[in-house]
Amino acid sequence: MNYFTVIDLTLFGIFVIFISIFLYRKRKNLKKEGLLLLYKTSWGMKVIDKVSKKYKKTLGKLSYVVIGIGYLLMGFMIYLLGKIIYIYVAYPSIVKAIKIPPITPLVPYLPQAFKLNFLPDFYFIYWIIILAIIAITHEFMHGIFMRRYGIKIKSTGFGFFPFFFPIFLAAFVEQDEKSMNKSKNFHQMAVLAAGTFANLITGILFFIIMILFFSWTFAPAGAEFNTYSYSIVSIPAIVSVNNVTIDNANYNKIFSLIDEEGLNEIRTENNTYLINKKGLEEQRNSKTNYLLLYDDSPAIKSGINGTIVAVNGIPIRDWNEFGYELMKYSPGETISITTKSGEEKINYEIVLGENPEDSEKPWIGVGYIEQTRRGPIGKVIETISSFKKQYIHYEPKFKAATFIYNLLWWLVMISISVALMNMLPMGIFDGGRFFYLTILSITKNKKKAELWFKISTNILLFMFVLLMVFWVLSFFVA
């Protein structure tokens, strides 16, 4: 059990005890519905009424923005869903690598359980805090626009599940359905889109907070690399593989001389290169007459791995500092490079080579290739992390900084995700009725609006089923 897990379970235990005591003391205000406990509050109504009256004109003008953003999010989410389906159909190997089903509720420890290294750990306390922030802002914004347009609210409060082990689940603003249905279409649409608008604003606000927090609490502490130096080599130019001479080289001849384990030496008239069997196999179906081979560099021969954090004991924070330190030495000199992988540090004694472009300069042969994440989810993750420089390792200035930063990261990610999902034109989401009211406003025909609402819902249900089918099929792909 790691340090953060201990913190999480301790905080979670304290929270459950506190909530249990609070609900017991307020048991007169509780209503049990199945396994759910509803705690009704009067102060929620007071806050909603106060804000809606004080900013009546502003909310009226803001309604156009809220509805406009609702349409934008709806359109983008439909595009996103189509894009995800395309990935599931066209790239089953990527889907298989992700492991989890496409329709999976985000529950505590899900990334840890499925070893999703591209996501930060997700803890119980994250789940509770994020649910509270998202649910409260979402529901209260619904309520504020309801009262702005004179729609009655029956009650407000919070939901806890299950009643015998209460964990905060949601906030609620219970509307009067008759009052809502009598309201103008525009007013209803503003109310429906208001919750999503709140989630979007919450995501943007906490994104700014996350950037500021990161800049204050993290510092560059190493240079990361993802490749050794390599060259593109013409296959006919190859004259030997593992000291075995070959004439009129082709891929099959080269592959037949490759060893199963370790690095293989491939030579041309002027240079020596290295490659392992897996690296060569990945180029088997290439239609070009070239191979991508590693240069015979000090780095690959030493097997250096991890984040570079020091050169001869001098700390390295980024690639500029690494290059500056290397320039203090000459080809042929031996230096000590310290790398870090997780919490483990490793020292490598490396004899510097000659830079291929300038023989008087030292060279070890490591670097990085700029990479962009693929797919819609990858793009969202890339955007959220865009303020960090690629291939720079950052260390927290205090241990809990990572715990707090990951909480903020998840809060931003989930806020944006909820905003998008909630605007899908589907029965269970606010976007479903929003779509229905749009068609009703255009056609002025209730039957047509209901028909298009059903069609939209069924199409989206089919798309989600399709995702699940292709997820299952991906595991039968070699």
Side-chain angles (χ1 to χ4, degrees):
M1 188 179 293
N2 64 36
Y3 175 76
F4 290 146
T5 302
V6 173
I7 291 176
D8 175 57
L9 295 178
T10 302
L11 291 174
F12 178 64
I14 293 170
F15 174 82
V16 171
I17 292 169
F18 173 79
I19 290 296
S20 299
I21 294 171
F22 174 80
L23 293 177
Y24 177 76
R25 294 180 64 183
K26 301 288 184 179
R27 57 189 180 277
K28 291 182 179 179
N29 293 347
L30 295 179
K31 181 182 178 182
K32 183 171 171 289
E33 289 190 3
L35 294 177
L36 193 66
L37 275 181
L38 299 180
Y39 172 66
K40 296 186 177 182
T41 65
S42 57
W43 62 264
M45 297 279 285
K46 291 176 182 177
V47 171
I48 287 170
D49 282 336
K50 185 176 180 180
V51 173
S52 61
K53 288 176 182 177
K54 186 175 181 180
Y55 300 101
K56 188 173 182 178
K57 288 184 179 180
T58 303
L59 291 170
K61 294 177 181 178
L62 188 61
S63 296
Y64 294 94
V65 177
V66 168
I67 291 173
I69 288 175
Y71 280 122
L72 288 174
L73 292 174
M74 181 181 288
F76 183 68
M77 188 57 203
I78 292 171
Y79 161 78
L80 206 59
L81 187 57
K83 190 77 174 177
I84 292 170
I85 289 174
Y86 168 74
I87 291 170
Y88 271 68
V89 173
Y91 303 102
S93 59
I94 294 175
V95 177
K96 184 178 180 180
I98 294 173
K99 302 175 187 176
I100 62 172
I103 305 172
T104 305
L106 183 59
V107 294
Y109 294 94
L110 182 71
Q112 295 96 308
F114 284 91
K115 296 181 180 179
L116 306 177
N117 298 326
F118 58 91
L119 293 175
D121 291 342
F122 190 64
Y123 299 103
F124 272 112
I125 202 67
Y126 289 4
W127 190 56
I128 293 165
I129 292 172
I130 292 170
L131 272 180
I133 292 172
I134 288 177
I136 290 170
T137 54
H138 183 100
E139 291 299 319
F140 271 66
M141 190 62 82
H142 275 320
I144 287 166
F145 274 83
M146 284 179 201
R147 295 306 302 133
R148 163 61 181 82
Y149 291 115
I151 299 169
K152 294 179 182 178
I153 297 175
K154 290 182 178 180
S155 62
T156 61
F158 305 99
F160 300 87
F161 176 88
F163 71 88
F164 52 83
F165 190 70
I167 301 173
F168 176 82
L169 181 65
F172 66 87
V173 174
E174 187 183 7
Q175 68 193 30
D176 185 291
E177 288 297 333
K178 289 184 179 179
S179 179
M180 179 72 167
N181 292 333
K182 287 179 181 178
S183 186
K184 293 180 180 180
N185 289 352
F186 179 85
H187 297 169
Q188 291 186 59
M189 290 169 72
V191 169
L192 291 165
T196 291
F197 179 74
N199 294 142
L200 184 63
I201 297 301
T202 299
I204 294 170
L205 175 62
F206 278 96
F207 179 64
I208 295 169
I209 293 172
M210 181 177 70
I211 293 173
L212 293 174
F213 179 81
F214 185 85
S215 65
W216 293 333
T217 60
F218 284 78
E224 297 179 341
F225 64 92
N226 64 355
T227 185
Y228 299 112
S229 175
Y230 61 89
S231 296
I232 297 173
V233 179
S234 170
I235 291 177
I238 295 171
V239 297
S240 72
V241 177
N242 292 330
N243 295 318
V244 178
T245 302
I246 54 175
D247 297 318
N248 302 317
N250 59 46
Y251 180 89
N252 290 331
K253 283 184 180 180
I254 295 168
F255 190 78
S256 66
L257 297 171
I258 292 293
D259 293 334
E260 288 286 338
E261 301 294 332
L263 293 170
N264 295 268
E265 187 180 271
I266 296 179
R267 289 184 179 179
T268 62
E269 289 290 345
N270 301 316
N271 296 297
T272 300
Y273 303 95
L274 302 169
I275 190 74
N276 58 21
K277 185 175 183 180
K278 182 181 178 183
L280 194 61
E281 275 186 310
E282 288 173 351
Q283 301 179 65
R284 179 185 289 275
N285 296 322
S286 174
K287 295 180 181 179
T288 67
N289 209 23
Y290 294 89
L291 289 175
L292 198 66
L293 303 175
Y294 290 117
D295 296 322
D296 186 16
S297 68
I300 193 169
K301 287 193 290 188
S302 68
I304 186 173
N305 194 23
T307 300
I308 298 169
V309 295
V311 173
N312 281 346
I314 296 176
I316 297 298
R317 294 183 299 177
D318 54 34
W319 279 98
N320 289 334
E321 289 190 0
F322 179 60
Y324 176 78
E325 284 302 317
L326 277 188
M327 288 300 106
K328 293 180 180 179
Y329 305 95
S330 301
E333 286 191 76
T334 300
I335 64 170
S336 174
I337 293 182
T338 305
T339 68
K340 185 176 181 181
S341 182
E343 295 300 318
E344 182 184 10
K345 287 187 176 181
I346 304 172
N347 290 317
Y348 295 88
E349 297 298 317
I350 294 179
V351 178
L352 293 172
E354 295 180 355
N355 191 306
E357 297 179 2
D358 187 342
S359 61
E360 294 183 1
K361 292 182 179 180
W363 179 65
I364 67 164
V366 292
Y368 60 90
I369 301 172
E370 294 281 355
Q371 293 181 331
T372 55
R373 294 180 185 269
R374 299 181 66 177
I377 295 174
K379 292 295 182 185
V380 172
I381 294 173
E382 192 174 76
T383 301
I384 292 176
S385 305
S386 60
F387 58 92
K388 292 193 288 185
K389 292 181 180 178
Q390 272 198 334
Y391 301 106
I392 301 297
H393 174 69
Y394 294 88
E395 285 282 347
K397 294 179 181 178
F398 57 93
K399 205 164 186 178
T402 302
F403 190 80
I404 298 169
Y405 171 77
N406 287 343
L407 167 61
L408 294 171
W409 190 95
W410 276 113
L411 180 51
V412 173
M413 185 73 173
I414 295 173
S415 294
I416 302 299
S417 300
V418 170
L420 287 167
M421 282 295 295
N422 196 53
M423 284 312 297
L424 271 176
M426 192 174 176
I428 60 173
F429 301 116
D430 287 336
R433 184 162 179 80
F434 186 89
F435 177 75
Y436 165 80
L437 290 167
T438 299
I439 301 300
L440 182 60
S441 298
I442 294 170
T443 64
K444 312 296 182 185
N445 187 309
K446 192 173 180 180
K447 287 186 178 180
K448 286 184 179 180
E450 289 174 348
L451 175 63
W452 279 104
F453 170 76
K454 289 179 182 178
I455 291 172
S456 174
T457 298
N458 288 332
I459 288 173
L460 288 169
L461 281 172
F462 173 76
M463 291 173 78
F464 282 119
V465 170
L466 202 63
L467 280 177
M468 290 299 295
V469 169
F470 277 100
W471 176 74
V472 172
L473 291 177
S474 71
F475 289 90
F476 295 95
V477 176

